[in-house]
Amino acid sequence: MRHSSVRGEGAPEQAAGGISGGGGPGASGAVPEPQGEGDGTSGVRRRRRGKRRVLLWTSSTMAFLILGTAGAGYLYYRHLNGSIQTDALNLGDNKLGGPKPNAFGQTPLNILLIGSDARNDKENQALGGGRDTFDGQPLADVQMLLHLSADRSNMSVVSMPRDTMIKMPKCTEPGPDGKVHPASKGLVQVNESLSRGGPGCTVAAWQELTKIPISHFMMIDFKGVVSMADAIGGVPVCVQENVHSRTKAGKGSGLKLPKGESVIQGEQALQWLRTRYGFEDGTDLGRTHAQHMYMNSMAREFRKNAKLTNPVKLNSLAKAAIDAMVVDPGLNKIDRLYDLSMELKKVPPGRITMTTMPWIQSPNDRDRVEPKPGEAEDVFRMVREDIALDGQDAKQPGGSASAPAASSSATPSAAPTATPPAKIPVAVRNATGGKDESQVKVKGRASDVVALLVGKGFTKATADQLTGAEDTTLIRYAKPEQAADAAAVATAFGLPADAVQQSAEVPGITLFVGKDWRTGAAPPAAPPAPTKAPDSARPLNGDDDKACMKIQEGFTW
């Protein structure tokens, strides 16, 4: 029986599912039959995913739209401040301490865009369908991380498929008596994070998986999507052949476009963002690629400052955006949204890169995916280290990839501490077995590292009786005022900046000796960071105005 994270049964359009953002059948190269027929349990599961889920991808596009249009007109709408809905930024224990500034004091921004399938009013229910799920918990079915570089020269967007299986972190709802959602014992579908206390748990799940500190989130629901699409005024898109997204069984978005470029808006834009049948091989991988094309084209339109000067249109867009979104407290004012939009506006479309997290099919379920070993981490690391996914940093002297703060060397030393090493208590835990405990812990390893710390002047270091399970060596600290002291420990061993994390699960500064440091006097140096996103991420450049969707056989007219 399919678990509660899958909704949409009884929705007006029962488009067969797969994996949003590039998963599912496409992972094995299988092409869904145009008739929409399936066999066995997997086929039934795919058919249950309908209009509700694909509309969520529209929500993520609208989140991007909000950011892009804020600078065009939000200052005119200060009276909307009181209407902005907010929720806690991070409900997890691991706060990561925020993005690290570069050598010039500039700080990157990481913004998580979330699409919720909440059916909390008649508008959302009408758009979402699936009457049997009206009272269900909302799901974070769209998740995109927008990374704005520290020097504001480039922007990277990383989509995560909704059916990605991850280990869910512990999340605690706000308030003195906030409900505690314990960490999952096994893998859980990532979109369930929203039902574990709100968007702050989705942020926590991303941070736990990627180790990327998230600055803000923006969450969008169904309502407002169509009206906001109308308010855009039209976005150019391209198809390589005439296309009609409709199967003989009546499934599909209904999109019908002639070969070449068309300017779409309103319902037609919604159809483009929903289309699965008819694009590429008929899987969600093609649908995601089409959504990225749309977002890049939209960004180019905003750059031209066209179609968004009409006060009536701006008013309609602003109202639709405010009604449809929830943000963290750091974005709870129109001025703050405006300031953010001005930062985003500095990036030319040619330095915007859209990607999907590299994935593999889950070994236990062909309808689920997991992060692709190696290549998913490469993308996450590039974001953590502020390296542009388009590869241009490596070509430019002084670019992010060669800047001191973007390398894998430790930047915590940039945060000086007034505490001498001899006065810094450090607990050392043996975590050398790895997260999956695939290796036997090295006996006495914590004591060995304590001796190394004492030799470096940290005379209050002690071996903890508790152990851990980590693939890489980490330093965690409990309170913000301990951050600088934890950074000093990292610097002593040459650990990278992202190895230092704030966590409520430790009583003080704690060094976890990971599987990567089973022997020797220092952790092994990290290999050089990638300089360009892997092909498996399907990078799409924002300046590519020649991008044109390939059409699936059998869907032309």
Side-chain angles (χ1 to χ4, degrees):
M1 179 176 180
R2 195 170 181 84
H3 55 69
S4 61
S5 68
V6 177
R7 297 180 175 172
E9 189 172 12
E13 182 209 23
Q14 298 292 334
I19 309 298
S20 285
S28 61
V31 177
E33 187 174 331
Q35 296 293 331
E37 298 297 329
D39 54 55
T41 304
S42 294
V44 174
R45 288 174 175 171
R46 287 193 295 275
R47 286 195 295 272
R48 291 181 64 187
R49 306 180 186 183
K51 178 178 178 181
R52 176 232 20 119
R53 183 164 67 84
V54 289
L55 280 174
L56 290 172
W57 278 104
T58 309
S59 300
S60 68
T61 302
M62 293 305 106
F64 191 84
L65 168 63
I66 291 169
L67 298 176
T69 57
Y74 273 172
L75 281 183
Y76 294 105
Y77 305 103
R78 294 178 183 273
H79 65 279
L80 293 176
N81 273 340
S83 302
I84 298 177
Q85 303 174 71
T86 64
D87 210 328
L89 174 62
N90 188 348
L91 300 182
D93 291 336
N94 190 348
K95 307 301 183 185
L96 293 183
K100 300 295 188 291
N102 65 14
F104 306 100
Q106 301 165 310
T107 304
L109 283 173
N110 298 314
I111 305 162
L112 189 61
L113 309 180
I114 305 169
S116 164
D117 76 343
R119 292 164 171 77
N120 53 357
D121 55 35
K122 291 183 179 180
E123 292 175 89
N124 282 326
Q125 291 170 356
L127 287 167
R131 292 180 179 276
D132 59 329
T133 64
F134 281 2
D135 297 324
Q137 290 289 330
L139 301 172
D141 272 356
V142 174
Q143 300 177 34
M144 290 185 176
L145 181 67
L146 186 155
H147 172 78
L148 181 62
S149 67
D151 63 5
R152 305 307 189 247
S153 68
N154 66 86
M155 182 192 306
S156 301
V157 177
V158 182
S159 300
M160 186 184 296
R162 71 182 288 274
D163 288 337
T164 301
M165 303 299 288
I166 66 169
K167 188 173 181 179
M168 200 68 67
K170 171 187 172 184
C171 290
T172 305
E173 296 186 23
D177 300 318
K179 181 178 179 180
V180 177
H181 302 266
S184 63
K185 295 182 179 180
L187 298 181
V188 176
Q189 191 165 309
V190 69
N191 67 344
E192 293 184 13
S193 58
L194 195 59
S195 64
R196 297 167 60 87
C201 195
T202 307
V203 169
W206 267 79
Q207 291 199 161
E208 184 71 20
L209 175 67
T210 68
K211 302 301 183 289
I212 297 170
I214 294 175
S215 315
H216 300 289
F217 76 79
M218 301 183 74
M219 183 173 71
I220 314 297
D221 61 15
F222 289 130
K223 66 181 180 182
V225 168
V226 175
S227 61
M228 290 173 68
D230 278 328
I232 298 171
V235 172
V237 296
C238 178
V239 290
Q240 294 182 11
E241 302 176 72
N242 296 345
V243 62
H244 187 198
S245 177
R246 184 69 68 196
T247 70
K248 292 180 180 179
K251 298 178 173 63
S253 71
L255 178 72
K256 189 172 185 179
L257 289 176
K259 176 181 178 180
E261 183 176 291
S262 299
V263 177
I264 60 175
Q265 66 183 93
E267 183 178 354
Q268 203 169 38
L270 183 63
Q271 290 174 333
W272 175 277
L273 295 165
R274 293 174 55 206
T275 297
R276 173 177 180 263
Y277 292 118
F279 282 166
E280 298 185 343
D281 62 357
T283 69
D284 281 332
L285 180 60
R287 177 158 58 196
T288 302
H289 196 51
Q291 291 155 356
H292 288 170
M293 284 185 186
Y294 182 90
M295 293 170 75
N296 277 340
S297 182
M298 183 171 59
R300 291 193 296 271
E301 290 301 298
F302 291 142
R303 192 73 178 182
K304 296 175 185 176
N305 289 320
K307 304 185 180 81
L308 287 172
T309 57
N310 185 321
V312 175
K313 187 173 294 184
L314 285 170
N315 183 60
S316 174
L317 179 58
K319 287 183 176 179
I322 295 300
D323 288 345
M325 73 177 179
V326 179
V327 299
D328 68 275
L331 294 177
N332 66 346
K333 301 293 182 184
I334 297 298
D335 288 354
R336 293 176 182 176
L337 288 168
Y338 174 81
D339 290 342
L340 176 59
S341 73
M342 291 296 98
E343 294 297 291
L344 292 164
K345 192 175 181 181
K346 295 175 183 177
V347 181
R351 297 303 311 279
I352 297 175
T353 306
M354 301 280 176
T355 64
T356 298
M357 179 198 75
W359 50 265
I360 58 171
Q361 280 188 311
S362 175
N364 301 316
D365 190 338
R366 69 188 302 268
D367 286 337
R368 301 291 188 272
V369 301
E370 296 177 19
K372 186 174 183 179
E375 294 186 8
E377 171 57 23
D378 284 346
V379 172
F380 301 153
R381 182 179 175 187
M382 291 180 72
V383 173
R384 288 196 303 265
E385 299 186 12
D386 199 24
I387 301 171
L389 296 182
D390 60 11
Q392 292 192 39
D393 282 349
K395 303 175 184 178
Q396 300 172 0
S400 296
S402 60
S407 70
S408 61
S409 61
T411 57
S413 56
T417 175
T419 307
K423 294 185 178 181
I424 300 177
V426 183
V428 180
R429 294 186 187 178
N430 187 344
T432 54
K435 286 187 174 181
D436 57 2
E437 298 287 354
S438 60
Q439 298 188 32
V440 177
K441 288 184 173 67
V442 178
K443 187 176 181 180
R445 190 60 183 149
S447 297
D448 292 343
V449 173
V450 166
L452 294 172
L453 276 166
V454 171
K456 293 178 179 292
F458 294 88
T459 55
K460 298 184 73 173
T462 57
D464 200 326
Q465 294 301 310
L466 297 175
T467 61
E470 300 292 343
D471 290 335
T472 59
T473 299
L474 301 170
I475 298 172
R476 296 191 171 104
Y477 61 94
K479 302 176 182 178
E481 56 266 28
Q482 296 171 332
D485 291 345
V489 179
T491 302
F493 286 118
L495 292 169
D498 54 33
V500 181
Q501 305 170 357
Q502 183 179 357
S503 173
E505 295 183 349
V506 293
I509 298 173
T510 306
L511 171 60
F512 291 78
V513 186
K515 187 171 65 174
D516 63 334
W517 192 18
R518 294 172 64 85
T519 62
T531 57
K532 187 177 181 180
D535 291 342
S536 59
R538 288 199 89 179
L540 182 65
N541 184 269
D543 237 2
D544 187 0
D545 59 359
K546 304 300 181 184
C548 205
M549 282 302 298
K550 181 179 179 181
I551 303 307
Q552 184 182 11
E553 185 177 353
F555 288 86
T556 58
W557 53 274

